[in-house]
Amino acid sequence: MSERQACRLLKVPASSYRYRSRTVGRDEALRVQLTELAQQYPRYGSPRLCVLIQRQTPHNHKLVERIYRQAGLALRRKQRKRVVRASVPAAAAQRANQEWALDFITDALATGRHIRILTVVDVFTRECLALEADTSLGSLRVLRVLETLIQQRGAPSRIRSDNGPEFTSRAYLAWALERRIDLVHIRPGKPIENAYIESFNGRLREECLNVSWFRNLFDARRQLAAWRHHYNHERPHSSLEYSTPKAFALAYASAGLSCFEAGQEGSIAALSPQPPLSAENLSCCILK
């Protein structure tokens, strides 16, 4: 087959059919030079190597970047180590002090200084147990707040939280081991597994933080304490059939005492709040 017949068969112009690439081997010198510099400076990336190359011979930075990638000289970044948590089905709380939920929420003062607020909620009674505000809250401060609550209410069976450094420190883990409290850490990036505290933080943000102006840290603590009292004693809670968390806790305590004396269990079940959803269904509905 002649060349003309081949062009007609392939339906390409004769100029394209005869074309031979002239770039083969053209960039070989640049490749060798770039490889030598990369071996000499193993932690230099393409921008710094491009500057060194252009000091000797002017080259387009896009060409240097292309040769850099084709030669496989890109820096190997270390993968960030992330904690891996197994998915644990959420167990329904059946009594007060069975499970506490912890989390942090941030806000700012009138001066622009940021503050952190530790929120503690009883999952069963929905009571807000603590709103601790300060410019910095470490694990030892968290333990001090929990110890105060334990002296007032007794120790919980388990505590649910995220994987923040305050909740994974050695001091925190040793304290829980000594107190024989089970720690439930949710999976990273899955705040829905701690839905009760996330829902509470949403109410706190909408009803207090977004409508309040804190002049200083002492004013913030005062207003947070007033809102916490309102939340526990006056605010109707939808999952408690619009009863207040404090009223529900008192009703449950009195019903539990009477049932214990009578040896019955039926009236306690009648006072139980809406059962917590499973991990699969929590994404569809967060209890308020």
Side-chain angles (χ1 to χ4, degrees):
M1 181 183 297
S2 65
E3 182 178 308
R4 180 171 298 181
Q5 292 175 343
C7 291
R8 290 179 178 176
L9 180 63
L10 297 175
K11 297 182 179 180
V12 296
S15 58
S16 300
Y17 181 80
R18 300 192 189 98
Y19 177 78
R20 293 183 179 181
S21 176
R22 291 172 291 181
T23 61
V24 177
R26 185 185 63 180
D27 302 328
E28 190 61 30
L30 177 60
R31 187 188 305 274
V32 173
Q33 185 181 9
L34 198 57
T35 304
E36 292 177 353
L37 288 175
Q39 293 175 352
Q40 185 177 357
Y41 306 102
R43 297 308 302 170
Y44 278 15
S46 60
R48 287 186 175 84
L49 293 179
C50 181
V51 172
L52 297 180
I53 290 291
Q54 291 178 343
R55 287 178 181 176
Q56 303 176 10
T57 307
H59 285 286
N60 185 280
H61 70 279
K62 294 183 180 180
L63 173 62
V64 177
E65 176 70 21
R66 179 171 59 82
I67 301 300
Y68 176 83
R69 292 185 178 277
Q70 289 178 354
L73 303 176
L75 294 177
R76 291 179 175 84
R77 302 292 183 182
K78 293 183 179 180
Q79 294 290 337
R80 183 177 178 181
K81 295 182 179 179
R82 295 184 179 273
V83 62
V84 178
R85 303 282 188 189
S87 177
V88 179
Q94 301 296 332
R95 57 180 174 83
N97 267 17
Q98 184 175 4
E99 179 177 325
W100 291 356
L102 277 64
D103 199 7
F104 285 99
I105 189 170
T106 60
D107 202 57
L109 303 174
T111 58
R113 188 171 187 179
H114 287 269
I115 60 173
R116 302 186 74 195
I117 304 171
L118 172 66
T119 56
V120 185
V121 172
D122 189 302
V123 171
F124 183 76
T125 65
R126 310 297 200 268
E127 291 177 277
C128 174
L129 306 183
L131 287 178
E132 187 75 9
D134 209 332
T135 55
S136 177
L137 291 171
S139 60
L140 296 181
R141 182 69 173 276
V142 172
L143 293 181
R144 185 167 55 179
V145 173
L146 295 179
E147 282 291 343
T148 303
L149 293 176
I150 289 176
Q151 292 176 6
Q152 298 172 356
R153 301 174 54 92
S157 300
R158 59 178 179 264
I159 296 178
R160 183 178 295 270
S161 64
D162 57 18
N163 298 276
E166 300 85 3
F167 305 133
T168 56
S169 66
R170 293 182 179 178
Y172 184 82
L173 298 178
W175 171 84
L177 183 63
E178 181 182 359
R179 282 284 188 176
R180 296 184 178 180
I181 299 175
D182 296 333
L183 298 180
V184 181
H185 291 96
I186 65 175
R187 290 178 295 172
K190 300 290 184 180
I192 199 65
E193 295 182 0
N194 201 2
Y196 293 100
I197 196 68
E198 293 294 337
S199 177
F200 172 81
N201 287 347
R203 306 288 79 73
L204 174 63
R205 175 73 68 185
E206 293 178 359
E207 300 176 11
C208 180
L209 301 183
N210 288 349
V211 298
S212 302
W213 186 65
F214 303 140
R215 292 174 295 177
N216 49 50
L217 183 59
F218 301 102
D219 184 45
R221 290 172 177 171
R222 179 184 60 81
Q223 294 194 47
L224 287 172
W227 186 86
R228 174 173 168 266
H229 183 274
H230 169 79
Y231 180 87
N232 288 335
H233 294 82
E234 301 177 19
R235 182 185 184 275
H237 204 294
S238 59
S239 66
L240 303 179
E241 295 183 355
Y242 292 97
S243 175
T244 64
K246 194 64 177 179
F248 172 79
L250 294 175
Y252 177 81
S254 61
L257 180 60
S258 62
C259 290
F260 175 77
E261 294 174 348
Q264 299 176 356
E265 298 180 355
S267 58
I268 296 181
L271 286 172
S272 299
Q274 296 178 5
L277 302 177
S278 62
E280 292 77 14
N281 297 331
L282 279 174
S283 58
C284 301
C285 177
I286 298 180
L287 296 179
K288 295 184 178 180

